[in-house]
């Protein structure tokens, strides 16, 4: 990566030379995480021109290019890591996600289409099917002989999978399931690969046998004739058309009319139907069975979390490089214009998002480790799977929203140049827009997290009276947060000792930030627990109305919890940094993240008496001081992301702006030195005014 900035110019005259230094190489390896080698391989591949998005293509041209790129991935061994070793895979679940999410820097359409083929379609066959299914179909899925779809979402039901209306009714006499979409809202919609390429699909439908609906199950269904490309009898569909982004993917709609599917095409790991129609399952509870089946497909959320972080890193690298070169307004000099990144507001808009990206990156590595622990079998209990589901549901909304916010802010921070297609901000933002919706709508996911928080809260405080609940605060008696589940458990039964109030005095300290951030989560959850107490004794209608009355507060509490997880992950990562200079700079960045969260929610802290008005006023001052400290290290912090020019691919991040600015400054310096440059009218006016004042003081 080329360093295009004169760092002595950044520090400026009079700046102390004893600055901490960032070990970018070591920090870069830490950011790459456990699967660093695989990320390096994936980035090498993502840097290849063959995989890059070509701006300006029609959606049909873009689709064709991306489809061809899938074969390129197969030929380069980039897609088989998670599949069974005996079929040519590597049984490496965490490494597979780590490599897959790096494809977003090449083209988000490629990342998502690859995700449909191997991360959803192939993964569903692998995790929901059994050995016969693996043998029959996984080799063709892996080598792309069977392009496929993941047909879950319906036009009328997106996040509410349990209520999908497509049915698969078992016919005892024929030994077949019959699939039907009974009305238009039951069509499978927004399905990747459905419009053109998909030859088969894993279709989710209500399994009905012997007059009993056993809930949602998955079926392997052939969609098209591989020779002609025509739909099989009873299968129909249409193209979703042009979208707001990701137009390299052929999303479409599918519908089924009396489509006959062999009994053995039921992916029967968690539920099976015998030839006589008898249903059996190793999981007796229908609800638990449903969530277990869906839980096997959590990797989509995990990978979107990581891909969103990667996109944020790319955007910040381009914007911060540009901001160290672009000059605008001569605020502090008559002759020299200011570098954009020397303006306080520019620092705040980029550095706060840089801090958030580091926090999200470290949190993602913890999520990825949790995912690998579950799917490798190292830690695979029901509780582990629930924790993984909740953690993914907490982090994916934050990282995808953060990516959209970061891309927009970086675009604006780069002015008109940021809007040019050659600098990718607008394109990346358009492509990532739907990340906030698919694999679980962000708001719905946070509601899931809130319900888990309430459930854990109810268990923890089951035998405590309301007076104690109203008074409890975060305890630090153990000296560290306790990992009881995938959630942070830091509440402690204790009377109010004023620990949070004391922590507010030390806003800049780690424990002060921890106490304030944690207290907010615990207090919000306690408030919801009290508000919803006894709702299980109400009628269904009354219970739903009460829950809806507090839905906004529940989602706010879930988001606060997810932010705490990110702050904790950042803090955990600091403990692994050995270089003193790097640790100091990263600590400033972590503090900026924590204080920015407190500033964002300052009204809550003031209204709930956690901060005084006087103390609240200091938060902004602390942030501004951190911006100044971080400024000399901004380039090192984005260099540690490890993305080269072949990944960034933004014209404004190549050093071209520095060349233009240097040329302009040299021109004006030479012009002034020659004595032939025209006099500025303002200088002439000022000189005349000075002469008049002198004449008034000394009349002839």
């Amino acid at each position: 990566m080329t360093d295009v900035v004169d760092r002595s110019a950044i520090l400026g005259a009079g700046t102390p030379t004893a600055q901490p230094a960032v070990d970018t190489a070591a920090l870069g390896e830490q950011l790459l995480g456990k699967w660093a080698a695989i990320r390096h391989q994936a980035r090498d591949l993502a840097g290849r021109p063959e995989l890059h998005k070509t701006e300006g293509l029609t959606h049909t041209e873009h689709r064709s290019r991306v489809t061809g790129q899938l074969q390129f991935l197969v030929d380069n061994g980039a897609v088989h890591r998670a599949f069974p070793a005996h079929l040519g895979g590597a049984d490496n679940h965490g490494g597979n996600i780590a490599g897959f999410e790096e494809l977003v820097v090449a083209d988000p359409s490629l990342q998502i289409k690859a995700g449909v083929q191997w991360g959803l379609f192939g993964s569903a066959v692998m995790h929901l099917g059994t050995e016969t299914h693996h043998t029959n179909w996984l080799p063709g899925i892996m080598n792309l002989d069977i392009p496929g779809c993941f047909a879950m979402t319906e036009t009328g039901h997106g996040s509410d999978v349990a209520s999908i209306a497509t049915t698969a009714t078992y016919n005892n006499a024929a030994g077949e399931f019959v699939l039907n979409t009974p009305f238009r809202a039951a069509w499978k919609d927004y399905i990747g690969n459905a419009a053109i390429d998909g030859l088969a699909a894993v279709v989710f439908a209500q399994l009905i046998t012997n007059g009993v609906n056993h809930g949602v199950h998955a079926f392997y269904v052939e969609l098209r004739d591989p020779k002609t490309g025509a739909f099989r009898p009873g299968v129909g569909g249409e193209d979703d058309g042009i979208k707001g982004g990701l137009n390299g993917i052929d999303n479409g709609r599918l519908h089924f009319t009396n489509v006959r599917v062999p009994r053995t095409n039921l992916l029967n790991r968690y539920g099976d139907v015998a030839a006589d129609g008898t249903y059996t399952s190793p999981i007796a509870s229908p609800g638990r069975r449903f969530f277990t089946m869906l839980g096997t497909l959590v990797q989509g959320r995990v990978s979107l979390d990581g891909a969103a972080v990667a996109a944020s890193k790319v955007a910040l690298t381009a914007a911060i490089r540009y901001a160290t070169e672009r000059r605008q307004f001569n605020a502090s000099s008559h002759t020299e214009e200011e570098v954009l990144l020397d303006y306080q507001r520019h620092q705040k808009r980029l550095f706060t998002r840089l801090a958030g990206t580091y926090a999200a990156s470290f949190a993602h590595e913890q999520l990825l480790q949790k995912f690998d622990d579950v799917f490798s079998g190292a830690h695979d209990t029901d509780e582990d799977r629930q924790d993984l589901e909740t953690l993914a549901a907490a982090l994916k909304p934050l990282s995808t929203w953060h990516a959209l916010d970061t891309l927009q802010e970086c675009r604006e921070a780069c002015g008109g140049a940021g809007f040019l297609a050659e600098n990718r901000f607008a394109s990346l933002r358009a492509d990532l827009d739907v990340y906030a919706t698919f694999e679980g709508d962000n708001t719905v996911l946070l509601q899931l997290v809130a319900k888990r928080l309430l459930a854990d809260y109810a268990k923890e405080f089951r035998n405590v009276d309301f007076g104690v609940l109203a008074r409890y605060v975060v305890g630090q008696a153990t000296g560290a947060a306790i990992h009881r589940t995938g959630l942070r458990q830091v509440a402690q039964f204790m009377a109010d000792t004023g620990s949070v109030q004391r922590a507010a005095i030390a806003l800049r300290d780690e424990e002060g930030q921890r106490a304030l951030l944690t207290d907010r989560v615990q207090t919000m959850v306690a408030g919801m627990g009290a508000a919803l107490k006894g709702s299980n004794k109400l009628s269904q209608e009354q219970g739903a109305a009460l829950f809806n009355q507090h839905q906004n507060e529940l989602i706010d509490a879930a988001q606060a919890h997810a932010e705490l997880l990110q702050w904790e992950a950042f803090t955990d990562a600091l403990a692994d940094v050995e270089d003193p200079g790097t640790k100091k700079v990263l600590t400033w960045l972590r503090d900026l993240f924590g204080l920015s969260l407190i500033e964002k929610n300052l009204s809550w802290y003031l209204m709930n008496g956690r901060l005084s008005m006087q103390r609240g006023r200091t938060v902004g001052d602390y942030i501004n001081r951190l911006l100044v400290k971080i400024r000399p290290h901004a380039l090192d912090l984005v260099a540690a992301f490890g993305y080269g020019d072949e990944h960034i691919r933004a014209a404004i991040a190549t050093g071209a702006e520095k060349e233009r600015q240097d040329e302009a400054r040299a021109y004006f310096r030479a012009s002034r030195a020659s004595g032939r440059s025209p006099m500025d009218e303002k200088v002439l006016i000022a000189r005349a005014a000075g002469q008049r004042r002198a004449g008034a003081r000394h009349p002839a």
Side-chain angles (χ1 to χ4, degrees):
M1 187 181 298
T2 305
D3 188 349
V4 295
V5 176
D6 179 0
R7 302 198 180 201
S8 63
I10 294 174
L11 295 175
T15 301
T17 57
Q19 285 279 342
V22 175
D23 185 339
T24 55
L27 178 56
E29 285 301 304
Q30 183 180 2
L31 285 167
L32 288 169
K34 178 178 178 178
W35 293 276
I38 290 176
R39 286 195 187 277
H40 280 302
Q41 295 170 7
R43 289 185 182 186
D44 288 344
L45 199 61
R48 298 277 293 272
E50 295 93 328
L51 296 184
H52 292 171
K53 181 179 181 180
T54 301
E55 300 293 348
L57 296 179
T58 65
H59 77 289
T60 52
E61 293 169 337
H62 193 188
R63 287 175 173 183
S64 177
R65 177 173 171 80
V66 171
T67 298
Q69 290 170 335
L70 291 189
Q71 189 62 53
F72 188 89
L73 295 179
V74 172
D75 295 341
N76 283 274
V79 296
H80 298 157
R81 297 184 185 97
F83 290 104
H86 71 274
L87 294 177
D91 290 312
N92 188 344
H93 302 279
N96 177 62
I97 297 295
F100 165 72
E101 61 200 23
E102 294 292 344
L103 292 176
V104 74
V105 306
D107 182 351
S109 285
L110 173 60
Q111 184 223 350
I112 298 305
K113 191 172 176 76
V116 169
Q117 175 66 22
W118 295 292
L120 292 176
F121 175 54
S123 183
V125 172
M126 181 169 66
H127 292 299
L128 300 180
T130 47
E131 192 59 38
T132 301
H133 303 129
H134 297 172
T135 303
N136 289 346
W137 299 316
L138 283 184
I141 293 171
M142 292 166 66
N143 66 19
L144 209 57
D145 284 347
I146 309 175
C149 308
F150 184 79
M152 176 183 283
T153 298
E154 296 181 355
T155 307
H157 284 99
S159 297
D160 184 8
V161 178
S163 297
I164 61 174
T166 298
T167 58
T169 305
Y170 184 65
N171 183 319
N172 293 34
E176 297 174 324
F177 288 98
V178 181
L179 265 65
N180 278 289
T181 44
F183 42 78
R184 176 62 185 79
W187 284 20
K188 300 298 180 180
D189 210 342
Y190 323 115
I191 309 300
N193 282 348
I196 300 171
D197 294 331
L199 295 181
V202 171
V203 178
F204 289 80
Q206 304 286 349
L207 188 160
I208 301 170
T209 181
N210 292 334
V212 178
N213 184 350
H214 293 279
V216 176
H217 287 66
F219 301 81
Y220 184 93
V221 181
E222 293 183 357
L223 299 177
R224 290 180 170 92
D225 184 314
K227 294 180 180 179
T228 66
F231 278 126
R232 297 282 191 184
V235 180
E238 61 187 32
D239 197 323
D240 273 327
I242 298 175
K243 308 180 293 293
L246 295 179
N247 280 302
I249 307 171
D250 57 321
N251 293 92
R253 304 181 180 99
L254 298 170
H255 55 86
F256 309 97
T257 304
N258 295 325
V259 175
R260 306 176 77 83
V261 177
R263 178 179 63 86
T264 52
N265 280 27
L266 167 65
L267 300 180
N268 61 344
R269 179 178 177 183
Y270 296 107
D272 199 11
V273 173
D276 65 356
T278 302
Y279 178 86
T280 57
S281 172
I283 304 175
S285 165
R288 185 162 157 263
R289 184 191 315 136
F290 171 75
F291 284 110
T292 300
M293 285 193 286
L294 263 60
T296 62
L297 308 172
V298 70
Q299 65 184 32
R301 292 171 189 170
V302 177
S303 63
L304 288 183
D305 179 57
V309 173
S312 297
K313 291 176 178 177
V314 167
L316 284 162
T317 301
I320 287 176
R321 283 191 193 178
Y322 182 67
T324 59
E325 300 172 1
R326 181 76 160 92
R327 294 177 178 273
Q328 193 84 310
F329 304 114
N330 51 351
S332 61
S333 167
H334 292 299
T335 58
E336 294 291 324
E337 292 181 289
E338 304 294 321
V339 172
L340 290 184
L341 205 57
D342 286 340
Y343 288 108
Q344 184 187 74
R345 185 62 177 180
H346 213 81
Q347 292 171 3
K348 188 170 186 180
R349 69 198 305 195
L350 294 182
F351 292 172
T352 53
R353 289 165 177 84
L354 179 65
T357 300
Y358 264 82
S361 182
F362 289 130
H364 175 67
E365 287 306 309
Q366 292 188 349
L367 172 61
L368 198 54
Q369 181 64 64
K370 184 72 175 176
F371 171 81
D372 189 70
D373 285 346
V374 168
F375 280 80
S376 69
H379 300 284
D380 186 16
T381 65
D382 284 344
E383 187 176 16
D384 286 320
R385 286 185 174 260
Q386 291 173 24
D387 292 345
L388 172 61
E389 278 281 331
T390 308
L391 196 56
L395 295 180
K396 181 261 185 182
L398 261 62
S399 61
T400 52
W401 277 330
H402 174 77
L404 295 176
D405 172 67
T406 298
L407 285 162
Q408 181 64 25
E409 198 66 33
C410 287
R411 202 293 297 158
E412 293 183 29
C414 294
F419 197 57
L420 298 178
E422 67 180 10
N423 294 315
R424 298 184 68 203
F425 297 115
S427 175
L428 278 171
R429 197 199 182 288
D431 284 337
L432 264 71
D433 198 337
V434 76
Y435 282 35
T437 300
F438 63 22
E439 295 301 319
D441 176 90
N442 283 357
T443 298
V444 175
L445 289 180
L446 287 177
Q447 183 168 291
L448 182 154
V449 174
K451 289 181 177 179
R452 174 69 187 276
L453 288 171
L454 284 173
D456 281 3
Y457 168 86
K459 292 176 186 176
E460 193 168 351
F461 293 97
R462 183 173 293 147
N463 299 317
V464 181
D465 64 63
F466 180 77
V468 173
L469 297 186
R471 295 193 305 273
Y472 92 96
V473 296
V474 174
Q476 301 297 330
T478 60
I482 301 169
H483 289 271
R484 195 184 73 190
T485 68
L487 310 177
R488 285 302 159 157
Q489 296 296 324
V490 290
Q492 189 172 328
F493 303 121
M494 54 187 289
D496 189 343
T497 61
S499 60
V500 176
Q501 285 79 356
R502 287 200 301 272
I505 299 173
L507 283 168
R508 292 167 292 178
D509 295 338
E510 178 179 308
E511 290 309 314
Q513 293 173 37
R514 187 195 309 276
L516 286 167
L517 295 172
T518 309
D519 175 67
R520 180 166 181 263
V521 176
Q522 297 291 342
T523 302
M524 294 172 81
V525 174
M528 291 302 95
L532 297 175
K533 189 173 183 179
S535 59
N536 59 331
K537 299 177 183 178
L538 300 175
S539 68
Q540 182 177 354
E541 182 180 0
Q542 291 173 322
L546 181 61
F547 187 89
N548 189 54
Q549 184 180 341
H550 296 282
Q551 188 177 34
N552 289 328
E553 297 100 306
L554 283 163
I555 290 170
D556 287 345
Q559 183 163 346
H561 168 71
E563 290 166 346
L564 173 62
L565 291 176
Q566 290 184 332
W567 183 91
E568 288 277 13
F570 203 152
T571 302
D572 290 345
L574 288 175
D576 297 327
V577 180
E578 296 180 357
D579 177 67
T582 304
K583 177 169 283 193
K584 178 173 281 191
V585 175
L586 279 186
T587 299
W588 292 337
L589 200 64
R590 191 280 315 274
D591 290 347
L592 178 60
F593 178 65
L595 290 174
S596 296
L597 292 177
I598 293 169
E599 183 182 52
K600 182 179 75 170
N601 300 297
L602 195 54
S603 60
W604 186 92
Y605 288 104
L606 293 172
M607 288 189 298
N608 287 275
R610 300 315 195 263
L611 289 174
S612 67
M613 290 292 291
Q614 181 178 1
R615 183 60 58 182
R617 291 190 188 99
T618 68
V619 176
D621 291 337
Y622 291 157
I623 287 174
N624 290 338
R625 292 174 200 170
L626 288 170
L627 299 176
V628 173
K629 290 180 178 180
I630 293 167
R631 168 66 178 95
H633 310 285
L635 282 174
D636 286 334
L637 289 168
V638 294
F641 291 153
Y643 289 113
D645 293 339
E646 71 276 18
H647 303 119
I648 305 301
R649 303 197 308 281
I652 56 174
T654 61
E657 181 62 26
K658 183 177 185 298
E659 293 178 8
R660 288 191 290 268
Q661 294 291 335
D662 287 348
E663 180 186 22
R665 294 163 74 198
Y667 171 84
F668 285 116
R669 277 197 298 266
S671 179
R672 290 192 299 270
S674 71
R676 295 190 297 272
S677 61
M679 182 177 295
D680 191 299
E681 181 184 6
K682 290 185 287 187
V683 175
L684 186 64
I685 292 172
R687 183 176 297 175
Q691 290 172 347
R692 286 195 298 272
R693 288 194 296 271
R697 289 194 298 269
H698 306 288

